[in-house]
Amino acid sequence: MKIRVLGAGAGGGFPQWNCNCNNCQRLRNGQLKGKARTQSSIAISTDNRNWLLFNTSPDIRAQLEAFPAIQPKEGIRDTGIKAILLIDSQIDHTTGMLMLREGKPLEVYCTEMVKQDLTTGFPLFTMLKDYCTVNHHPIACDSSPFTIPGIDDIRIYAHALKSKAPPYSPHRHNPHEGDNIGVIVEQISTGKKLYYSPGLGEIESHVLAAMQNVDCLMVDGTFWTDDEMCQQNISHKKAREIGHLPQSGPGGMIDVLNNVPNARKILIHINNTNPILDEDSPQRKILDAAGIEVAYDGLEIDL
């Protein structure tokens, strides 16, 4: 199973277009040892030809152009994307579907709650009816496995996460099961498994159980501290308030991952304010010592 990181950044990417924080300013000026990142998305394949896309960021066009294996192979118009799986209905995970409107009908797998958001508050599915159309395939949050036609040798398990729907959602302040999911992707022939969850605000018991039974973890790396954006005068909201478990501090992501000894550990969905983007930072050295990697655009993982 091959996993390609199309984008490793949080909403806005890195550097963010309107941000002059310490990280963004130094990267633009060539003073930070680090890499620019587009907004979060990955792709998975078992044959290096047919790909399952997880989320579609606003940066999808540039991400696909940077990825030769998913480029057109046959005919005048073609793509290696066979289906799309949406983890949630956040703008930075769904807007890219508009960029794919010139293609064939989009085979989209998502929960009923995500579908509701994308036909009401942010009606992408409705808008795309006049272009490529969307074929919706429902995902249940009961951890029962499902497969996707055209994506051979893979089965997927999904479970609900405690999280809020996006700010535009009609039920923003009334959370429902399926607003956000975590997934286990298993290659059937080898038994190798990936756990993918770019938005984790709380480590529930079923989440920890899933994390302890996979070969690779690709999980929320948005913020280093809970008050990161407050300290930089960017926002009054804390990490946990908006559904992201910070890496540092008691009960943070580092503590969680230290209790998962046998998996490869990778942080993704990294906000532009996070000091781990600086490869020379003390925070990055803490991750290195803990055996925790930081995803970047173009990272490829073979399981």
Side-chain angles (χ1 to χ4, degrees), residues 11-12 38-40 56-63 90-97 99:
T38 58
Q39 293 167 94
S40 174
T56 54
S57 90
D59 301 316
I60 187 65
R61 184 184 179 280
Q63 292 169 346
Q90 298 287 346
I91 284 176
D92 51 312
H93 284 161
T94 59
T95 306
M97 283 192 288
M99 319 308 167

Side-chain angles (χ1 to χ4, degrees), residues 276-295:
I276 66 175
L277 290 166
D278 182 347
E279 296 171 14
D280 286 333
S281 67
Q283 294 85 355
R284 189 62 173 265
K285 289 178 172 57
I286 291 172
L287 293 182
D288 291 342
I292 300 171
E293 302 174 50
V294 180

Side-chain angles (χ1 to χ4, degrees), residues 31-62:
Q31 298 170 336
L32 181 144
K33 184 182 178 183
K35 301 177 179 68
R37 287 165 169 84
T38 58
Q39 293 167 94
S40 174
S41 178
I42 67 171
I44 292 180
S45 176
T46 56
D47 60 9
N48 209 39
R49 185 176 184 85
N50 298 295
W51 294 85
L52 173 60
L53 194 62
F54 288 75
N55 299 328
T56 54
S57 90
D59 301 316
I60 187 65
R61 184 184 179 280

Side-chain angles (χ1 to χ4, degrees), residues 11 32 43-44 62 70 83 107 113 131 134 157 171 190 229 250 272:
L32 181 144
I44 292 180
I70 211 167
E107 305 296 332
M113 298 316 301
Y131 296 91
V134 172
Y157 307 77
H171 66 276
T190 66
M229 292 200 296
N272 63 84

Side-chain angles (χ1 to χ4, degrees), residues 34-202:
K35 301 177 179 68
R37 287 165 169 84
T38 58
Q39 293 167 94
S40 174
S41 178
I42 67 171
I44 292 180
S45 176
T46 56
D47 60 9
N48 209 39
R49 185 176 184 85
N50 298 295
W51 294 85
L52 173 60
L53 194 62
F54 288 75
N55 299 328
T56 54
S57 90
D59 301 316
I60 187 65
R61 184 184 179 280
Q63 292 169 346
L64 297 180
E65 283 298 314
F67 185 24
I70 211 167
Q71 297 285 328
K73 295 290 193 303
E74 300 173 359
I76 299 298
R77 297 272 175 104
D78 188 28
T79 178
I81 301 170
K82 298 305 175 187
I84 298 164
L85 191 153
L86 300 176
I87 294 292
D88 53 41
S89 54
Q90 298 287 346
I91 284 176
D92 51 312
H93 284 161
T94 59
T95 306
M97 283 192 288
L98 292 173
M99 319 308 167
L100 303 178
R101 67 190 181 277
E102 297 93 352
K104 300 174 182 178
L106 302 178
E107 305 296 332
V108 178
Y109 291 73
C110 66
T111 66
E112 180 60 31
M113 298 316 301
V114 169
K115 179 191 175 186
Q116 285 187 27
D117 282 345
L118 297 180
T119 52
T120 56
F122 186 32
L124 286 180
F125 286 8
T126 306
M127 294 162 63
L128 288 169
K129 285 181 181 178
D130 293 320
Y131 296 91
C132 58
T133 74
V134 172
N135 294 327
H136 172 243
H137 305 270
I139 293 177
C141 297
D142 57 6
S143 293
S144 58
F146 63 94
T147 58
I148 295 178
I151 308 295
D152 295 335
D153 200 23
I154 280 178
R155 61 181 161 224
I156 300 167
Y157 307 77
H159 56 227
L161 303 175
K162 285 187 179 178
S163 182
K164 289 183 178 180
Y168 71 78
S169 172
H171 66 276
R172 165 68 169 177
H173 301 292
N174 180 22
H176 287 67
E177 182 177 275
D179 287 334
N180 190 3
I181 60 173
V183 295
I184 294 173
V185 184
E186 179 184 15
Q187 184 165 9
I188 298 168
S189 62
T190 66
K192 296 290 186 178
K193 296 177 183 177
L194 166 76
Y195 181 68
Y196 178 61
S197 180
L200 265 177
E202 182 177 336

Side-chain angles (χ1 to χ4, degrees), residues 248-279:
S248 64
M253 190 64 77
I254 295 173
D255 277 358
V256 172
L257 296 181
N258 282 340
N259 290 311
V260 187
N262 298 319
R264 184 174 177 182
K265 308 162 191 177
I266 304 171
L267 299 177
I268 196 168
H269 194 272
I270 303 144
N271 200 59
N272 63 84
T273 55
N274 195 327
I276 66 175
L277 290 166
D278 182 347
E279 296 171 14

